[in-house]
Short mmCIF file of all heavy atoms in Angstrom, two decimals:
data_model
loop_
_atom_site.label_atom_id
_atom_site.label_comp_id
_atom_site.label_asym_id
_atom_site.label_seq_id
_atom_site.Cartn_x
_atom_site.Cartn_y
_atom_site.Cartn_z
N GLY A 223 0.78 -1.22 0.00
CA GLY A 223 0.00 0.00 0.00
C GLY A 223 0.82 1.28 0.00
O GLY A 223 0.34 2.34 0.41
N MET A 224 2.06 1.20 -0.43
CA MET A 224 2.90 2.39 -0.48
C MET A 224 2.81 3.06 -1.85
O MET A 224 2.36 2.46 -2.83
CB MET A 224 4.36 2.03 -0.16
CG MET A 224 4.99 1.02 -1.08
SD MET A 224 6.74 0.67 -0.67
CE MET A 224 6.59 -0.10 0.94
N SER A 225 3.25 4.30 -1.89
CA SER A 225 3.27 5.01 -3.17
C SER A 225 4.47 4.56 -3.99
O SER A 225 5.42 3.96 -3.45
CB SER A 225 3.34 6.51 -2.94
OG SER A 225 4.59 6.86 -2.38
N ALA A 226 4.46 4.85 -5.27
CA ALA A 226 5.59 4.51 -6.12
C ALA A 226 6.85 5.21 -5.63
O ALA A 226 7.95 4.64 -5.64
CB ALA A 226 5.29 4.88 -7.57
N ALA A 227 6.70 6.46 -5.18
CA ALA A 227 7.85 7.21 -4.69
C ALA A 227 8.43 6.55 -3.43
O ALA A 227 9.66 6.47 -3.27
CB ALA A 227 7.45 8.66 -4.38
N GLN A 228 7.56 6.07 -2.56
CA GLN A 228 8.03 5.38 -1.36
C GLN A 228 8.74 4.07 -1.71
O GLN A 228 9.77 3.74 -1.13
CB GLN A 228 6.85 5.10 -0.43
CG GLN A 228 6.28 6.33 0.25
CD GLN A 228 5.01 6.01 1.02
OE1 GLN A 228 4.17 5.22 0.57
NE2 GLN A 228 4.86 6.62 2.19
N ALA A 229 8.17 3.34 -2.67
CA ALA A 229 8.79 2.09 -3.10
C ALA A 229 10.16 2.34 -3.72
O ALA A 229 11.12 1.60 -3.45
CB ALA A 229 7.88 1.36 -4.10
N GLU A 230 10.27 3.37 -4.54
CA GLU A 230 11.56 3.70 -5.16
C GLU A 230 12.57 4.15 -4.12
O GLU A 230 13.76 3.79 -4.21
CB GLU A 230 11.35 4.78 -6.22
CG GLU A 230 10.60 4.26 -7.45
CD GLU A 230 10.27 5.36 -8.44
OE1 GLU A 230 10.50 6.55 -8.09
OE2 GLU A 230 9.77 5.05 -9.54
N ALA A 231 12.13 4.90 -3.12
CA ALA A 231 13.04 5.33 -2.06
C ALA A 231 13.54 4.12 -1.27
O ALA A 231 14.72 4.06 -0.88
CB ALA A 231 12.34 6.31 -1.12
N GLY A 232 12.65 3.15 -1.04
CA GLY A 232 13.06 1.94 -0.35
C GLY A 232 14.08 1.15 -1.14
O GLY A 232 15.06 0.63 -0.57
N GLU A 233 13.89 1.08 -2.45
CA GLU A 233 14.86 0.39 -3.29
C GLU A 233 16.21 1.12 -3.31
O GLU A 233 17.26 0.49 -3.31
CB GLU A 233 14.31 0.27 -4.72
CG GLU A 233 13.27 -0.82 -4.89
CD GLU A 233 13.87 -2.20 -4.71
OE1 GLU A 233 14.57 -2.68 -5.62
OE2 GLU A 233 13.66 -2.79 -3.63
N ASP A 234 16.17 2.43 -3.29
CA ASP A 234 17.41 3.20 -3.24
C ASP A 234 18.16 2.93 -1.94
O ASP A 234 19.40 2.80 -1.93
CB ASP A 234 17.12 4.70 -3.37
CG ASP A 234 16.66 5.09 -4.77
OD1 ASP A 234 16.91 4.31 -5.72
OD2 ASP A 234 16.02 6.16 -4.91
N ASN A 235 17.42 2.84 -0.85
CA ASN A 235 18.04 2.54 0.44
C ASN A 235 18.67 1.15 0.42
O ASN A 235 19.80 0.95 0.90
CB ASN A 235 17.02 2.64 1.56
CG ASN A 235 17.59 2.24 2.90
OD1 ASN A 235 18.59 2.78 3.36
ND2 ASN A 235 16.96 1.27 3.55
N LEU A 236 17.95 0.18 -0.12
CA LEU A 236 18.48 -1.17 -0.21
C LEU A 236 19.73 -1.21 -1.08
O LEU A 236 20.69 -1.92 -0.79
CB LEU A 236 17.41 -2.12 -0.77
CG LEU A 236 16.38 -2.60 0.23
CD1 LEU A 236 15.16 -3.18 -0.48
CD2 LEU A 236 16.99 -3.63 1.16
N GLY A 237 19.71 -0.44 -2.17
CA GLY A 237 20.88 -0.38 -3.03
C GLY A 237 22.11 0.14 -2.29
O GLY A 237 23.22 -0.36 -2.46
N ALA A 238 21.89 1.13 -1.43
CA ALA A 238 23.00 1.69 -0.65
C ALA A 238 23.50 0.68 0.39
O ALA A 238 24.71 0.54 0.60
CB ALA A 238 22.54 2.97 0.05
N GLN A 239 22.56 -0.03 1.02
CA GLN A 239 22.94 -1.05 2.01
C GLN A 239 23.74 -2.17 1.34
O GLN A 239 24.74 -2.66 1.89
CB GLN A 239 21.68 -1.64 2.66
CG GLN A 239 20.85 -0.64 3.42
CD GLN A 239 21.23 -0.54 4.88
OE1 GLN A 239 22.14 -1.21 5.35
NE2 GLN A 239 20.54 0.32 5.61
N ALA A 240 23.29 -2.59 0.16
CA ALA A 240 24.01 -3.64 -0.57
C ALA A 240 25.40 -3.17 -0.98
O ALA A 240 26.39 -3.91 -0.83
CB ALA A 240 23.20 -4.06 -1.80
N ALA A 241 25.49 -1.95 -1.47
CA ALA A 241 26.78 -1.42 -1.90
C ALA A 241 27.77 -1.37 -0.74
O ALA A 241 28.97 -1.61 -0.92
CB ALA A 241 26.59 -0.03 -2.49
N ALA A 242 27.28 -1.08 0.46
CA ALA A 242 28.15 -1.03 1.63
C ALA A 242 28.76 -2.39 1.94
O ALA A 242 29.80 -2.47 2.58
CB ALA A 242 27.37 -0.52 2.84
N GLU A 243 28.11 -3.45 1.48
CA GLU A 243 28.63 -4.81 1.68
C GLU A 243 29.37 -5.33 0.45
O GLU A 243 29.71 -6.51 0.37
CB GLU A 243 27.48 -5.77 2.02
CG GLU A 243 26.65 -5.36 3.22
CD GLU A 243 27.47 -5.19 4.49
OE1 GLU A 243 28.48 -5.91 4.64
OE2 GLU A 243 27.12 -4.33 5.32
N GLY A 244 29.58 -4.45 -0.53
CA GLY A 244 30.29 -4.85 -1.75
C GLY A 244 29.43 -5.60 -2.74
O GLY A 244 29.96 -6.30 -3.62
N LEU A 245 28.10 -5.44 -2.63
CA LEU A 245 27.18 -6.16 -3.52
C LEU A 245 26.60 -5.22 -4.57
O LEU A 245 26.27 -4.06 -4.28
CB LEU A 245 26.02 -6.75 -2.70
CG LEU A 245 26.38 -7.73 -1.58
CD1 LEU A 245 25.14 -8.07 -0.76
CD2 LEU A 245 27.00 -9.01 -2.16
N ASP A 246 26.44 -5.73 -5.78
CA ASP A 246 25.75 -4.97 -6.82
C ASP A 246 24.25 -5.12 -6.62
O ASP A 246 23.75 -6.17 -6.21
CB ASP A 246 26.14 -5.51 -8.20
CG ASP A 246 27.59 -5.23 -8.54
OD1 ASP A 246 28.12 -4.20 -8.07
OD2 ASP A 246 28.20 -6.05 -9.25
N TYR A 247 23.50 -4.05 -6.94
CA TYR A 247 22.05 -4.06 -6.73
C TYR A 247 21.40 -3.10 -7.71
O TYR A 247 21.71 -1.89 -7.72
CB TYR A 247 21.73 -3.64 -5.29
CG TYR A 247 20.30 -3.82 -4.87
CD1 TYR A 247 19.91 -4.93 -4.13
CD2 TYR A 247 19.33 -2.88 -5.20
CE1 TYR A 247 18.60 -5.11 -3.72
CE2 TYR A 247 18.01 -3.04 -4.81
CZ TYR A 247 17.64 -4.15 -4.07
OH TYR A 247 16.33 -4.31 -3.68
N ARG A 248 20.52 -3.62 -8.54
CA ARG A 248 19.77 -2.79 -9.49
C ARG A 248 18.53 -2.26 -8.79
O ARG A 248 17.64 -3.02 -8.42
CB ARG A 248 19.38 -3.60 -10.72
CG ARG A 248 20.56 -4.07 -11.56
CD ARG A 248 20.11 -4.91 -12.74
NE ARG A 248 19.34 -4.13 -13.70
CZ ARG A 248 18.15 -4.46 -14.17
NH1 ARG A 248 17.54 -5.55 -13.74
NH2 ARG A 248 17.55 -3.69 -15.06
#
């Protein structure tokens, strides 16, 4: 039930978390 903007922000956060562990994330 989130907005598209909220979903995209969540994906951006996950991308940053993955990058901090040396993982690639689209």
Side-chain angles (χ1 to χ4, degrees):
M224 59 179 65
S225 68
Q228 289 173 321
E230 290 174 353
E233 283 293 285
D234 289 340
N235 176 56
L236 280 163
Q239 298 269 1
E243 304 303 328
L245 301 172
D246 292 329
Y247 189 99
R248 295 178 66 232

